[in-house]
Amino acid sequence: ESDDGFSVGEMIEVQDTAKTGWYVARVLGLTEDGAKIHYMGWKARFDEVIPLDSGRLRREGVGGGGARRGRGGRPLAGRGGL
């Protein structure tokens, strides 16, 4: 578990890099660099590590349930994969 309370396997919401939308994601791992996440409904090449203090991570449902699943829009991040 991270200092922010996120756990491996937990479903969370992640804001895209353009800060235009939130996406449902699963925490794959926690490192000193942040949380490695997988966007649900997206290929692994979009997985990315996001710093815990970035402001782009939140608990699922905190934002009123507006997070997208799958290809309802591009997450605009993680193009290189990890």
Side-chain angles (χ1 to χ4, degrees), residues 44-48 74 77-82:
R45 68 185 178 107
F46 291 101
D47 294 357
E48 64 177 318
R74 186 179 185 104
R79 289 182 176 86
L82 296 172

Side-chain angles (χ1 to χ4, degrees), residues 4-6 9 13 15 17 20 23 26-27 30 32-34 40 47 54 58-59 63-64 73 78 80:
D4 293 66
F6 296 114
E13 295 178 0
Q15 189 175 41
T17 56
T20 59
Y23 295 83
R26 180 180 308 277
V27 178
L30 296 165
E32 59 187 44
D33 295 326
M40 302 309 296
D47 294 357
S54 68
R58 69 182 184 196
R59 299 227 176 279

